[in-house]
Amino acid sequence: MKCQRCSKSAVIYQKYSNAHLCKNHFIEDVERKIKRDIRKFKMIGKGEKIAVALSGGKDSIALLYVLHKIFKNRPDLEFMAITIDEGIKGYREHTLSHAIKLTGELGIRHIIRSFEEEFKTSLDALTREKENAACTLCGVLRKNILNKAARELGADKIAIGHNLDDESQTILMNYLRGDVDRLKRMLPGTIQKGMVPRIKPLRSIPEKEVALYGFMNNLPVSMDECPYAGSALRNEIRDMLNNYEVKHPGTKYSLLGGYESISGFLRPADTQIVFCEKCNEPGSDRICKTCRLLGRK
Ligand code: SF4
Ligand SMILES: [Zn+2]
Ligand SMILES: [Zn+2]
């Protein structure tokens, strides 16, 4: 098949837009959508310091690469990367080495923090008794370190590599659970006291295209899956959405677009932020989730 914008061979067929694209036009298309969203949601402002949450998986690797490419001629901006080593044996070592390689090549300051140094334990050790809770533990503790590290570095924003699949799954999950508070917190530009605001420049890029973008740019792409991968509900929703997308191309974009349309009616989350009595980090209760999960007395 030929690219619809030039005569070169196509590397992808985007069913949702009925377009065949060659390597260069595919890369251009991905970067155009990212730039559009960064502008539309005012993700990055003049003179800002952006901390990129770099797990070393394909999404965050592509995110750091593309932000560096788009903004390399903007001396007013500063990008840095933060990697959290949760202590997942046989998995995190690979992604960590990819993160070190890419930040070295791009000359980006790289900060590595670990559960071990922060909490004197590892995710593997914590989940020995509660394997089902791996993702909850991982998510809460990682968010805690990430926020603390970004704040200490003086970052204005944390960029995370959530792609269209992640976003549409989360939206649907929150609809199904009736979790309006979480839906509100997903609104771009949500500000919570003590929390460094998060931006998601890849929110309009399908997961497969993020992987292809990495591959086309010779990025160190790891397709390894975390041994604890995903909650049961998220996995069900992922499969369901992927099936819908095959039968009804554009479903994931419709979910995202529908959410954006109703978001005008959602007031920003008014969760009262309080500072934890144990660790002084922001949260919604007297004792924060991190301290509760770690059983801090
Ligand atoms: S799949 Fe779960 S345990 Fe593994 S890195 Fe992701 S959130 Fe953490
Ligand atoms: Zn082309
Ligand atoms: Zn706490």
Side-chain angles (χ1 to χ4, degrees), residues 16 164 168 172 240-257:
Y16 57 83
L164 174 66
S168 53
L172 189 55
M240 186 173 93
L241 272 178
N242 286 343
N243 286 336
Y244 270 113
E245 188 66 37
V246 171
K247 289 188 200 144
H248 312 283
T251 297
K252 292 173 189 172
Y253 279 120
S254 303
L255 262 170
L256 197 65

Side-chain angles (χ1 to χ4, degrees), residues 3-9 20-26:
C3 170
Q4 68 173 45
R5 298 189 196 161
C6 69
S7 56
K8 293 203 185 110
S9 292
H20 289 93
L21 297 174
C22 69
K23 177 180 170 181
N24 289 344
H25 282 116
F26 164 69

Side-chain angles (χ1 to χ4, degrees), residues 42-259:
K42 300 186 175 64
M43 291 185 191
I44 297 176
K46 252 195 183 147
E48 284 189 335
K49 259 190 188 180
I50 310 291
V52 178
L54 181 68
S55 71
K58 64 173 189 336
D59 300 306
S60 62
I61 287 278
L63 174 64
L64 184 66
Y65 173 85
V66 76
L67 288 178
H68 177 263
K69 183 173 176 186
I70 294 174
F71 293 108
K72 63 177 180 291
N73 296 323
R74 285 277 306 270
D76 61 310
L77 299 175
E78 189 184 335
F79 290 91
M80 57 195 102
I82 304 174
T83 302
I84 316 282
D85 181 355
E86 305 91 344
I88 306 174
K89 217 171 176 349
Y91 170 67
R92 190 48 85 215
E93 300 89 332
H94 301 151
T95 53
L96 190 59
S97 69
H98 290 160
I100 293 169
K101 184 168 182 275
L102 185 67
T103 46
E105 282 169 11
L106 301 179
I108 286 178
R109 184 176 172 200
H110 187 201
I111 295 94
I112 304 173
R113 296 277 170 90
S114 68
F115 279 20
E116 199 60 60
E117 113 194 51
E118 196 70 31
F119 306 123
K120 310 281 172 279
T121 185
S122 67
L123 189 67
D124 286 339
L126 284 168
T127 50
R128 223 157 271 150
E129 291 130 45
K130 337 180 210 177
E131 185 153 345
N132 293 339
C135 292
T136 306
L137 277 162
C138 182
V140 171
L141 303 192
R142 195 175 36 193
K143 194 169 171 192
N144 174 293
I145 304 183
L146 194 57
N147 189 56
K148 226 188 290 178
R151 215 177 44 214
E152 284 163 14
L153 291 164
D156 297 287
K157 310 265 171 61
I158 298 175
I160 50 177
H162 286 189
N163 57 46
L164 174 66
D165 293 53
D166 299 319
E167 286 297 276
S168 53
Q169 287 160 19
T170 306
I171 290 167
L172 189 55
M173 244 163 92
N174 289 332
Y175 284 154
L176 293 178
R177 285 176 168 154
D179 197 337
V180 179
D181 262 352
R182 267 179 208 246
L183 275 174
K184 287 180 186 173
R185 268 182 268 136
M186 283 184 75
L187 290 175
T190 300
I191 308 276
Q192 289 178 300
K193 208 174 156 199
M195 300 294 292
V196 180
R198 301 178 147 222
I199 56 170
K200 299 169 185 172
L202 305 184
R203 67 197 293 281
S204 292
I205 314 298
E207 181 169 15
K208 279 189 186 146
E209 294 191 25
V210 176
L212 183 62
Y213 180 86
F215 184 66
M216 292 287 142
N217 285 293
N218 295 320
L219 300 178
V221 176
S222 159
M223 299 307 275
D224 289 357
E225 207 166 66
C226 171
Y228 305 113
S231 71
L233 180 59
R234 185 175 282 276
N235 287 341
E236 278 175 41
I237 288 180
R238 185 188 56 201
D239 293 347
M240 186 173 93
L241 272 178
N242 286 343
N243 286 336
Y244 270 113
E245 188 66 37
V246 171
K247 289 188 200 144
H248 312 283
T251 297
K252 292 173 189 172
Y253 279 120
S254 303
L255 262 170
L256 197 65
Y259 171 69

Side-chain angles (χ1 to χ4, degrees), residues 276 278-281 287-288 291 296:
C276 173
K278 302 279 173 206
C279 70
N280 209 28
E281 283 301 303
I287 309 289
C288 76
C291 289
R296 282 176 176 158

